[in-house]
Amino acid sequence: MAAQIIVAYRTPADPGAFDKYYFETHVPIAWKIPGLRKYHVSRGPIATPAGPSPYHLIATLTFDSVADIQKAFASPEGQAAAADVQKFATGGVEMNFFESGTI
């Protein structure tokens, strides 16, 4: 089993500025979060079966367990990553975390 956080960023006021900040500044900060095993991000437009999505980017961060996620975000590095989100996520952000497994 593993655990993931899905971070869904709604379309920001300036998508170009969002992308620049996200990849040049936020990603290096987030990679410092203790226990982070994988970091996947969406590429290109996000769509739904009904058409365009209100989301600009979706990130999936993988940890060993939900307890590890909780410890990670209680750490100084996790708190720094969480605080950094407010600097660029002008469209809003949703975070969900859960245990996962292959069936």
Side-chain angles (χ1 to χ4, degrees):
M1 281 246 170
Q4 273 89 30
I5 299 176
I6 304 295
V7 185
Y9 295 96
R10 291 188 173 271
T11 302
D14 183 342
F18 174 100
D19 290 345
K20 181 173 176 46
Y21 189 93
Y22 185 83
F23 289 104
E24 292 179 7
T25 304
H26 185 70
V27 169
I29 292 169
W31 263 119
K32 293 177 183 174
I33 298 171
L36 178 59
R37 302 288 181 223
K38 295 180 186 174
Y39 192 151
H40 292 228
V41 296
S42 60
R43 296 290 189 181
I46 298 170
T48 72
S53 168
Y55 298 103
H56 177 70
L57 184 140
I58 297 175
T60 305
L61 287 70
T62 302
F63 294 81
D64 290 334
S65 68
V66 167
D68 287 338
I69 291 172
Q70 292 167 329
K71 283 189 274 186
F73 281 90
S75 73
E77 297 87 352
Q79 290 178 359
D84 188 57
V85 169
Q86 301 308 312
K87 296 179 181 175
F88 66 91
T90 59
V93 63
E94 297 173 21
M95 293 184 187
N96 295 281
F97 59 91
F98 50 88
E99 298 278 349
S100 65
T102 303
I103 58 170

